[in-house]
Amino acid sequence: MGEYFHSVRLIADRCKGCVNCIKRCPTEAIRIRGGKAQITEARCIDCGECIRHCANHAKTAVTDCLEDIGRFAYNIALPAPALYGQFAAEIKIEDILGALLALGFDDVFEVAQAAEIVSMGTKSFLQRADIRRPAISSACPAVVRLIQVKYPELIDHLIPIDAPVDVAARIARADASRAKNIAPGEIGVWFVTPCPAKMTAVKHPLGAENSDVTGAIGIAQIYGELRKILANHPAPLRRPIASWIGFGWAVSGGENAAVETANSLVVDGIARVGELLEQVALGKLAHVDHIEALACAGGCIGGPLTVENRFVAQHRLAERARKMAAEYAARGAVPRGGDITVLATAERRAIEPRPIMRLDENIFRAMYKVDLMEKTLNNLPGLDCGSCGSPSCKALAEDIVQGTATETDCVFKLREKVRGLAEDMVRLAGKLPPSLPESGEKTDN
């Protein structure tokens, strides 16, 4: 797959060459060429928008399989908080975790537990006076990659704290290695993921040399088996579980509620995230302390690898939260939170911009191409219809300059050319050489 690993892939045989995907892609990573979609790897952020909107199911997400856990002596499941929203609120979280054990895992560590720790760390970070504001959550890998690709000037606004899944993996592996006397390399740590961007983050991590997560298995991939196991009432996992503060991260606004920052913005849906990041880049939100940004509409419960309708899942999580809060209040308990010192043990490296439009290695030729792009764009209709196979007229101008498209790929420019050719043919038909007879005129033998 080239320099970058991508979870999102094209199934060419299913592609009908429609333009749904190119119009939805936030980084203009898709083109239609030869009647088939093509994904530009350097631009793709694995947000899964093309998966959601492809009527022919020609886009898919590649994740690990349950069979892969056989490669390790000891395996730990890291269920995303979104998993709990896939099942009715009457099914206890302890039972869902027990079903994961029955599925073949040796242990379970809730990502929601790590989310509570990250919430505390983020709250502490936002109290600092020396940070760039607004501070942008780095929990969603698709948003981080969007910033890498389209808004590199905002990289230093990203909060330098690992996503909950990475924190969970680090804690789970260390605990298991110590308790079971197993070498860390013999422990498989598997994220049960709602989105393809998390799979990509495992193979090509952000802010780290290597990921603490071994692999990612899509929720939809094991949902059916979990339902069968739950129907047989598996033994529940009897241990303290995360509170509603942690699993609330699955829903848009959950992180903000956990961090308890009043001067904060919440945005979900990759298109709306892009619009808000434009405002940040223009310096219009410097007075805001914190931005929770999620690529999926509704939050992780709207991920393309989930099963349940996101509104149903949101309602279920709200029910779980109400019941759990009432239980805590009845026994006078409070959420445990966690030890934020584990956040300081991670070695983070700087997140680098990811250039996506390098017109030429030679700076002078690149400048010439920029000027040519402007002239080409001015000659295009500016309708951004996508019929040419490029998502916008600006993208088509770039493709023309790069030699991957021609001006006549635009149906309006093609119509102009055809009309001009037809008019030329009519004019030429009336200008026969004098040695030839006029139409209908007979010649002597």
Side-chain angles (χ1 to χ4, degrees):
M1 290 296 290
E3 184 181 353
Y4 304 106
F5 172 90
H6 288 290
S7 174
V8 174
R9 310 285 178 88
L10 171 73
I11 305 174
D13 291 345
R14 296 181 184 176
C15 182
K16 304 299 182 184
C18 71
V19 298
N20 284 341
C21 57
I22 69 171
K23 302 300 290 183
R24 297 285 186 169
C25 180
T27 58
E28 297 186 335
I30 308 175
R31 301 290 191 273
I32 305 297
R33 296 290 181 262
K36 301 289 184 181
Q38 296 178 0
I39 302 175
T40 304
E41 293 186 7
R43 290 177 180 267
C44 179
I45 61 173
D46 293 281
C47 62
E49 282 296 287
C50 56
I51 296 176
R52 288 191 183 88
H53 295 101
C54 181
N56 300 302
H57 305 289
K59 310 296 189 305
T60 189
V62 174
T63 62
D64 293 298
C65 301
L66 188 61
E67 291 74 17
D68 292 329
I69 70 175
R71 296 187 284 115
F72 295 87
Y74 193 83
N75 290 280
I76 306 170
L78 306 178
L83 178 66
Y84 307 153
Q86 309 306 299
F87 301 97
E90 292 74 27
I91 298 176
K92 295 180 178 180
I93 292 176
E94 295 96 320
D95 294 332
I96 297 172
L97 302 182
L100 286 169
L101 294 179
L103 200 59
F105 293 99
D106 299 294
D107 200 0
V108 178
F109 190 98
E110 292 180 274
V111 174
Q113 293 183 42
E116 295 180 20
I117 297 172
V118 173
S119 300
M120 296 171 62
T122 301
K123 187 174 182 178
S124 176
F125 177 80
L126 293 175
Q127 293 172 357
R128 291 170 47 178
D130 61 337
I131 63 175
R132 293 292 300 273
R133 285 182 164 79
I136 302 172
S137 171
S138 55
C140 177
V143 170
V144 176
R145 292 186 189 277
L146 178 65
I147 291 174
Q148 271 189 304
V149 168
K150 289 191 70 175
Y151 309 98
E153 68 273 28
L154 301 182
I155 286 178
D156 58 355
H157 285 260
L158 288 167
I159 298 174
I161 296 177
D162 286 335
V165 62
D166 299 302
V167 176
R170 191 158 60 250
I171 296 172
R173 188 186 299 275
D175 288 352
S177 178
R178 184 169 52 252
K180 303 294 182 180
N181 195 26
I182 303 175
E186 295 180 6
I187 300 172
V189 184
W190 306 89
F191 181 46
V192 182
T193 181
C195 78
K198 293 291 189 182
M199 177 66 185
T200 300
V202 171
K203 301 296 184 182
H204 192 75
L206 295 159
E209 187 67 31
N210 297 295
S211 175
D212 287 297
V213 185
T214 304
I217 301 172
I219 287 176
Q221 190 175 342
I222 61 174
Y223 172 78
E225 288 300 316
L226 287 177
R227 279 189 62 89
K228 291 178 184 177
I229 294 171
L230 286 166
N232 292 321
H233 305 291
L237 185 65
R238 298 291 187 185
R239 70 169 61 159
I241 60 173
S243 74
W244 65 93
I245 294 175
F247 66 69
W249 274 60
V251 180
S252 179
E255 176 186 350
N256 182 50
V259 174
E260 298 178 323
T261 302
N263 188 20
S264 180
L265 284 176
V266 178
V267 58
D268 60 30
I270 197 68
R272 290 186 290 270
V273 169
E275 293 169 2
L276 188 67
L277 292 178
E278 291 276 3
Q279 299 301 303
V280 177
L282 292 171
K284 295 184 177 181
L285 296 173
H287 61 287
V288 175
D289 290 328
H290 175 242
I291 292 178
E292 175 190 341
L294 299 159
C296 298
C300 295
I301 54 168
L305 302 186
T306 58
V307 175
E308 194 57 83
N309 176 282
R310 69 180 176 91
F311 296 104
V312 173
Q314 181 176 353
H315 178 69
R316 288 172 173 175
L317 287 176
E319 280 190 271
R320 290 187 187 279
R322 283 194 296 270
K323 289 179 180 179
M324 186 177 288
E327 290 171 1
Y328 271 59
R331 64 176 190 264
V334 294
R336 292 179 302 139
D339 182 8
I340 65 172
T341 59
V342 299
L343 301 178
T345 62
E347 294 184 6
R348 290 184 60 85
R349 65 179 182 181
I351 295 175
E352 300 292 337
R354 202 167 90 186
I356 60 170
M357 194 183 77
R358 184 170 293 173
L359 292 176
D360 202 289
E361 295 294 336
N362 183 288
I363 184 64
F364 298 105
R365 286 197 297 266
M367 291 174 65
Y368 167 74
K369 287 183 177 181
V370 169
D371 183 59
L372 185 58
M373 271 183 58
E374 290 295 325
K375 292 178 180 177
T376 304
L377 180 59
N378 290 335
N379 198 36
L380 294 174
L383 297 176
D384 295 340
C385 65
S387 298
C388 60
S390 299
S392 64
C393 288
K394 183 178 180 181
L396 177 59
E398 177 192 337
D399 294 343
I400 291 171
V401 170
Q402 294 290 67
T404 60
T406 63
E407 191 177 76
T408 51
D409 286 340
C410 172
V411 293
F412 299 97
K413 300 303 293 184
L414 179 62
R415 185 173 63 184
E416 288 179 13
K417 293 274 188 185
V418 170
R419 184 186 294 117
L421 286 171
E423 291 172 352
D424 288 344
M425 291 292 289
V426 171
R427 284 195 297 270
L428 288 171
K431 294 182 177 181
L432 294 174
S435 60
L436 294 178
E438 297 290 338
S439 177
E441 190 177 292
K442 294 182 179 181
T443 58
D444 295 331
N445 291 329

